[in-house]
Amino acid sequence: MLVVEFNNFGEVPLREVVNMQHMGKSKGRPILIAAGLIVLMVAISVGLIIRQAQARYQSAIYTGNSQRVDITKPLSILLLGVDTGADGRIDKGNSDTIMVVTINPKTKKTVITSIPRDSLAEMVGDQKTNVQKLNAAYNIGGSAMAKASVSKLLNIPINYYATLNMGGLKQIVNAVGGVTITSPIDSNFDGVSISKGTHHLNGKEALSYSRMRYQDPRGDYGRQLRQQQVMRAVLVKLTKTGTYSRYNQLLASLKGNLKTDLSFNDLVGLATHDRANLKGIKSTQIVGQPAWINTSSYQILSTSTLQSASDQLRQELGLKSAKISNMETKLNAQNTAYDGKTNLNYNTDGLDTITYTDGTH
């Protein structure tokens, strides 16, 4: 499990802090999904969101499908980056970023755990037993299926969710006046070229920098670290007095791009009660091994990987460890010949359909 700490807000280098334990590779779209909520919490906590913003938030962002947050207890939020481009749609599309954020008011810790989008997982809530890539859950059954599928995969409760599309990333960066990053590599993606070195990026450039993968020698590992770097850069800007006037613009940028079942009052409570959590955010990656299923490439999370991730997340939530047992562990037990190295063939007994509602995968 890779751990990245966001403790120093004065500088935003790209670096790996410590390699806690090996779990394989992970994929994901911009970690600004987390920033979408964290940014609002920071803004509210310093009293810079005017009262009129509540009505705008409730009507444009809040889905109204959750119970009131108990700010004295640990909670989890499922963050989904939806692959719908920059056109403002978030009702369809696969969730190409999948993260679980745990907030523990007792330990003052906030941890962001990234899950590979191509992880083999059961679509919990489907009418028939169905295993597909985890990123299909949102497309098939919306936030409810995504929450249920991640919950079953890792044996943890998922209390809330938030979805953000790619247009949201670009607008958030523009709303804070751009971000300054130091790129460790040359990047060229979607018509935007960024050379190795320090640059001030606008929203379009930050989106390109966050999405580029194939030119990075670390592949998805490198992309995920760059996404975390952009998030940290946004938080740096929000701590500077000169950007305080941009909070209304920021809230406007989230309209049509962000949906969540955390109400405005919930965010106020989290911001005022748990502001200390924002001073030391940690990020971890769950990673698996490659496999081929019906000519499609998957990531397989071994039973030991699932158990380790579950134990860590449950600890963050103040829960006791529990033996994980689900469709994934059952299939792992049946695939004794698969090793993710010399043998990449993985048998799902025909349970996978590899058919998404928009015809993509």
Side-chain angles (χ1 to χ4, degrees):
M1 186 176 291
L2 184 68
V3 177
V4 177
E5 299 189 17
F6 303 116
N7 293 325
N8 178 5
F9 287 99
E11 183 183 355
V12 284
L14 181 64
R15 63 191 179 92
E16 296 181 21
V17 177
V18 58
N19 189 8
M20 296 296 289
Q21 66 183 103
H22 176 70
M23 281 192 174
K25 290 193 175 180
S26 175
K27 295 186 178 182
R29 288 293 176 85
I31 200 169
L32 261 292
I33 311 148
L37 292 181
I38 294 173
V39 157
L40 286 175
M41 291 169 62
V42 174
I44 294 167
S45 69
V46 295
L48 297 171
I49 294 292
I50 60 176
R51 191 63 184 172
Q52 292 87 334
Q54 180 172 3
R56 189 190 311 174
Y57 178 91
Q58 294 292 109
S59 63
I61 296 173
Y62 178 55
T63 60
N65 297 322
S66 72
Q67 298 180 346
R68 183 70 182 270
V69 172
D70 185 344
I71 60 176
T72 67
K73 296 181 179 180
L75 61 89
S76 62
I77 306 170
L78 178 65
L79 304 176
L80 302 172
V82 184
D83 185 18
T84 54
D87 57 5
R89 292 187 301 110
I90 62 172
D91 58 328
K92 287 291 182 181
N94 299 321
S95 53
D96 279 350
T97 295
I98 306 172
M99 306 177 191
V100 175
V101 175
T102 56
I103 301 174
N104 192 320
K106 296 180 180 179
T107 62
K108 304 298 182 186
K109 291 175 61 179
T110 295
V111 179
I112 302 173
T113 301
S114 297
I115 309 170
R117 65 178 186 175
D118 291 339
S119 300
L120 179 70
E122 181 181 4
M123 303 291 100
V124 178
D126 208 351
Q127 294 181 351
K128 59 181 180 180
T129 303
N130 179 13
V131 294
Q132 294 194 30
K133 295 180 180 180
L134 184 59
N135 69 344
Y138 179 77
N139 198 338
I140 296 171
S143 58
M145 182 175 287
K147 289 170 69 174
S149 298
V150 172
S151 177
K152 188 70 176 292
L153 178 68
L154 298 174
N155 193 28
I156 59 169
I158 299 293
N159 303 116
Y160 307 98
Y161 84 94
T163 62
L164 182 75
N165 70 6
M166 294 303 99
L169 166 62
K170 183 165 65 175
Q171 293 182 39
I172 288 171
V173 172
N174 284 335
V176 299
V179 295
T180 300
I181 59 91
T182 298
S183 175
I185 58 175
D186 292 333
S187 170
N188 190 322
F189 181 79
D190 199 22
V192 176
S193 296
I194 300 170
S195 60
K196 181 178 179 180
T198 300
H199 304 277
H200 187 77
L201 308 182
N202 60 27
K204 181 179 179 180
E205 293 166 335
L207 178 60
S208 170
Y209 181 71
S210 298
R211 296 183 71 182
M212 187 278 291
R213 173 164 58 101
Y214 294 113
Q215 297 166 26
D216 195 317
R218 290 172 293 185
D220 289 314
Y221 262 135
R223 179 169 65 174
Q224 200 162 66
L225 290 174
R226 280 182 278 109
Q227 293 167 358
Q228 295 165 354
Q229 184 187 21
V230 171
M231 174 184 174
R232 190 178 178 198
V234 169
L235 297 179
V236 168
K237 292 297 292 290
L238 289 170
T239 63
K240 297 180 179 179
T241 305
T243 61
Y244 286 173
S245 62
R246 295 183 180 272
Y247 281 114
N248 276 334
Q249 181 184 349
L250 177 64
L251 185 59
S253 75
L254 296 176
K255 182 179 180 180
N257 293 311
L258 175 70
K259 290 293 182 183
T260 180
D261 53 0
L262 280 162
S263 72
F264 189 87
N265 288 333
D266 289 335
L267 288 175
V268 170
L270 287 172
T272 56
H273 188 268
D274 298 329
R275 188 178 178 187
N277 290 343
L278 301 179
K279 296 180 180 179
I281 303 171
K282 292 184 178 180
S283 179
T284 73
Q285 295 173 309
I286 300 175
V287 289
Q289 295 177 305
W292 286 99
I293 304 173
N294 292 352
T295 71
S296 291
S297 176
Y298 276 74
Q299 286 286 303
I300 301 299
L301 304 183
S302 69
T303 298
S304 61
T305 293
L306 288 170
Q307 187 66 62
S308 178
S310 177
D311 289 347
Q312 183 62 41
L313 285 163
R314 291 179 68 88
Q315 180 180 343
E316 299 295 343
L317 293 170
L319 302 173
K320 294 181 179 180
S321 297
K323 183 178 180 180
I324 196 163
S325 177
N326 51 30
M327 180 59 68
E328 292 70 46
T329 61
K330 176 182 177 181
L331 290 172
N332 286 342
Q334 294 176 358
N335 282 271
T336 55
Y338 166 80
D339 61 12
K341 297 176 182 178
T342 59
N343 187 342
L344 302 184
N345 295 316
Y346 193 93
N347 181 20
T348 59
D349 294 328
L351 294 178
D352 56 298
T353 64
I354 320 299
T355 301
Y356 301 155
T357 57
D358 66 351
T360 66
H361 62 81

